[in-house]
Amino acid sequence: MPRSRLFYFVVDCVIGAAAMSEPLMATYNRLPVTFARGEGVWLWDQDGKRYLDALSGIAVCGLGHAHPAVRDAICEQAGRLVHTSNLYGIAEQERLGALLTQLAGMDRVFFANSGAEANEAAIKLARMYAHRRGLDNPAILVAENSFHGRTLATLSATGNRKVQAGFEPLVQGFVRVPYNDVDAIETAAANRPNIVAILIEPIQGEGGIQVPADDYLPRLRAICDREGWLLIDDEIQTGLGRTGRLFAHQHTGAEPDVITLAKGLGNGVPIGACLARGTAAEVLAPGSHGSTFGGNPLACRVARTVLETIVSQHLTENAARLGDDLLGALRSALGQTRGVTSIRGRGLMIGIELDRPCGDLMRQGLDAGLLINVTSERVVRLLPPLIMEQPEADQLVRTLADLIQGFLGNA
Ligand SMILES: *Cc1c(COP(=O)(O)O)cnc(C)c1O
């Protein structure tokens, strides 16, 4: 074997061995930190360094980390009953279902284990609803730059080619329109007789914290009423107090027929929910949908505790008030900064858009002891815990303003 071939053979062996010893599939671009514990809005890494959490594990840990009520609910329920099966009655599922439907103004709920699964239930529900009405080949309207999950149906609904690329053939039956554009929906209504529903985020999260016009959802509601379509709100990111109302659609008065929830519902214990009202609530019948884990006693007990805590501790109101303060403080700290093109959001769902890609800010944030996210390449996304208080919010603004100004070279 020539020496160069031998050299590359050895290199291949070393790379191969390294790859073989890596147990996790390469699905994530992970930041170079591993957390060991958390408390409230704080996380500590394995070396004992402390970080202010302004992301909540992507809108999941609204009650922060190691919340005593959540800890107690997990421990007590684990000592009593974790799982039986949906073959049997589940008291905790019924209790959570009663509370959640009442708070959401919905009639019925199906419990799943994630956001994507909640949306799968909503998509199946919409298709079944269409077939019941004799509509073959039904289609669901979805938005550009939307995010609905990574199962085959939900990635097909998602308006982001990066999420879909390589997984073709996609699931059919989705029609895409620009977000915050009612005319595009009117055009689709006029030209496509097979539409049965609109699946929409009240505020786009992954799409860069895009807040639509105040009358967008009410106008979608009116079109759905006129056309006999279902309005399906994907509140997986916006729900559970995040935007300063328990559900983001409550800012608008436009009541959806179906709501999907997940992220903030279990404070980290996996659970998703698909809620429906009216005829939409009667579509799924025995045998038409199900889940082994969905709605098990542990997840439901924890979610009920999360809901009760959000309500009793007035965390939705805190998100509204603190969110307003944060938005104001960020605007005065960064509003005049060259390179900052927009500061927007609602409640504790805030985006700061820059004029350039800024993914490196996540790593720079780590160095500064601050956890933030960048989505849509140039939007710094903040989703702090709903329990955050003023001093921590002040610290967040100071640290983030320095970071962004340094990054943009305006320091
Ligand atoms: C996160 C998210 C999902 C997907 O939830 P998973 O639990 O990751 O499956 C769907 N829709 C929206 C709006 C989300 O933010």
Side-chain angles (χ1 to χ4, degrees):
M1 193 183 285
R3 278 182 66 179
S4 64
R5 291 253 316 266
L6 179 64
F7 173 76
Y8 284 113
F9 175 74
V10 171
V11 167
D12 275 352
C13 289
V14 171
I15 291 172
M20 292 293 286
S21 67
E22 171 54 74
L24 307 179
M25 286 197 190
T27 46
Y28 304 104
N29 253 328
R30 296 177 195 272
L31 289 159
V33 67
T34 301
F35 297 108
R37 69 188 179 91
E39 193 182 316
V41 300
W42 301 99
L43 281 165
W44 284 263
D45 71 14
Q46 290 175 321
D47 301 325
K49 179 177 169 184
R50 191 175 80 150
Y51 300 80
L52 179 61
D53 184 1
L55 190 60
S56 313
I58 316 186
V60 169
C61 299
L63 307 189
H65 303 281
H67 192 286
V70 174
R71 175 202 60 204
D72 289 350
I74 293 172
C75 292
E76 280 172 26
Q77 193 59 43
R80 187 173 305 148
L81 196 61
V82 170
H83 177 85
T84 51
S85 163
N86 285 304
L87 290 169
Y88 314 110
I90 299 176
E92 282 298 342
Q93 195 179 120
E94 287 169 21
R95 295 174 77 176
L96 173 63
L99 180 60
L100 194 52
T101 52
Q102 181 230 320
L103 289 171
M106 294 277 131
D107 294 322
R108 291 183 170 214
V109 57
F110 171 83
F111 287 111
N113 309 289
S114 67
E117 280 184 54
N119 281 339
E120 286 276 346
I123 292 164
K124 285 179 70 174
L125 186 159
R127 285 187 169 194
M128 186 74 94
Y129 176 86
H131 287 292
R132 290 272 172 79
R133 310 183 138 216
L135 190 68
D136 293 335
N137 199 23
I140 299 174
L141 277 177
V142 289
E144 288 172 7
N145 294 315
S146 60
F147 183 78
H148 299 295
R150 290 178 177 274
T151 60
L152 276 174
T154 58
L155 75 80
S156 301
T158 290
N160 180 345
R161 271 304 295 162
K162 280 189 196 156
V163 173
Q164 299 172 337
F167 299 113
E168 296 81 3
L170 301 182
V171 173
Q172 297 184 343
F174 296 102
V175 173
R176 197 165 306 286
V177 290
Y179 189 64
N180 196 21
D181 181 343
V182 177
D183 291 343
I185 290 176
E186 290 290 11
T187 304
N191 295 318
R192 297 184 183 257
N194 62 332
I195 292 168
V196 67
I198 303 177
L199 169 60
I200 202 88
E201 295 162 88
I203 295 172
Q204 287 187 331
E206 304 304 305
I209 315 292
Q210 306 292 347
V211 185
D214 286 345
D215 66 350
Y216 183 57
L217 286 180
R219 290 175 74 187
L220 297 197
R221 177 70 271 175
I223 294 172
C224 286
D225 288 342
R226 189 188 73 208
E227 302 287 338
W229 300 346
L230 299 176
L231 181 58
I232 306 173
D233 275 4
D234 179 342
E235 294 237 22
I236 288 164
Q237 191 160 152
T238 56
L240 286 318
R242 172 62 43 197
T243 68
R245 301 296 295 264
L246 197 53
F247 304 101
H249 72 81
Q250 293 170 332
H251 290 286
T252 70
E255 277 184 44
D257 302 288
V258 178
I259 302 175
T260 54
L261 299 173
K263 290 192 166 85
L265 187 53
N267 214 62
V269 172
I271 182 168
C274 173
L275 298 108
R277 69 182 174 97
T279 44
E282 310 301 325
V283 170
L284 295 177
S288 59
H289 196 45
S291 164
T292 298
F293 295 138
N296 81 19
L298 179 70
C300 289
R301 168 71 189 275
V302 174
R304 182 165 58 84
T305 302
V306 169
L307 272 176
E308 288 170 351
T309 307
I310 289 173
V311 173
S312 70
Q313 303 296 302
H314 308 289
L315 296 181
T316 302
E317 294 79 356
N318 189 59
R321 192 184 43 74
L322 198 71
D324 279 351
D325 288 356
L326 259 178
L327 209 53
L330 287 166
R331 282 183 175 143
S332 45
L334 288 165
Q336 305 304 316
T337 301
R338 221 176 336 110
V340 175
T341 58
S342 161
I343 302 172
R344 58 184 177 247
R346 211 162 242 170
L348 291 176
M349 184 170 184
I350 295 175
I352 303 162
E353 182 160 351
L354 306 191
D355 64 357
R356 67 201 76 172
C358 59
D360 196 51
L361 275 171
M362 291 188 277
R363 197 194 46 74
Q364 295 180 22
L366 284 186
D367 292 341
L370 177 66
L371 303 181
I372 55 170
N373 178 249
V374 172
T375 187
S376 291
E377 282 179 0
R378 52 182 68 185
V379 181
V380 176
R381 176 169 55 165
L382 305 178
L383 299 163
L386 309 181
I387 56 159
M388 186 173 272
E389 292 174 3
Q390 196 66 54
E392 300 140 3
D394 295 343
Q395 179 172 340
L396 164 57
V397 172
R398 276 196 310 273
T399 311
L400 186 60
D402 284 353
L403 268 178
I404 291 178
Q405 277 161 351
F407 178 81
L408 292 169
N410 293 330

